[in-house]
């Protein structure tokens, strides 16, 4: 929130005083102020959904087989069936 207020104040000053910077300089400043979007992916050996599903299936029988398609996609079908 404080960053937004700071940007708002700067904009107000620029509008009041007039901005002498070139369009390119303003665009460069805007690019610098934008936060980058990151996506972090971690590859694991074990799929936690598969592991949890197999654990639950070892304790009880699943009524509607909701996770069968997922297990087929991950090639763990034979481990999940009893």
């Amino acid at each position: 929130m404080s960053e937004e207020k700071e940007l708002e104040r700067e904009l107000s000053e620029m509008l009041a005083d007039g901005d002498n910077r070139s369009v390119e300089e303003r665009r460069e400043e805007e690019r610098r102020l934008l936060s980058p979007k990151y996506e972090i992916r971690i590859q694991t050996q074990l799929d936690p959904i598969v592991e949890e599903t197999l654990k639950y299936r070892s304790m009880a029988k699943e009524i509607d087989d909701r996770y069968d398609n997922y297990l087929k996609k991950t090639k763990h079908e034979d481990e999940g069936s009893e």
Side-chain angles (χ1 to χ4, degrees), residues 17-29:
D17 299 336
D19 192 8
N20 295 337
R21 296 183 296 170
S22 71
V23 174
E24 186 60 35
E25 288 174 334
R26 280 185 264 149
R27 286 189 180 155
E28 186 62 36
E29 180 71 17

Side-chain angles (χ1 to χ4, degrees), residues 18-66:
D19 192 8
N20 295 337
R21 296 183 296 170
S22 71
V23 174
E24 186 60 35
E25 288 174 334
R26 280 185 264 149
R27 286 189 180 155
E28 186 62 36
E29 180 71 17
E30 289 169 1
R31 280 189 214 112
R32 188 183 63 77
L33 292 174
L34 287 175
S35 63
K37 305 291 182 213
Y38 291 105
E39 183 175 316
I40 298 173
R41 294 180 180 217
I42 300 171
Q43 186 172 4
T44 62
Q45 296 293 322
L46 299 174
D47 184 347
I49 296 171
V50 170
E51 297 303 312
E52 187 173 329
T53 302
L54 295 175
K55 175 78 82 178
Y56 281 120
R57 283 185 172 186
S58 71
M59 293 185 271
K61 183 178 179 184
E62 190 174 15
I63 296 172
D64 56 2
D65 299 325
R66 288 178 283 170

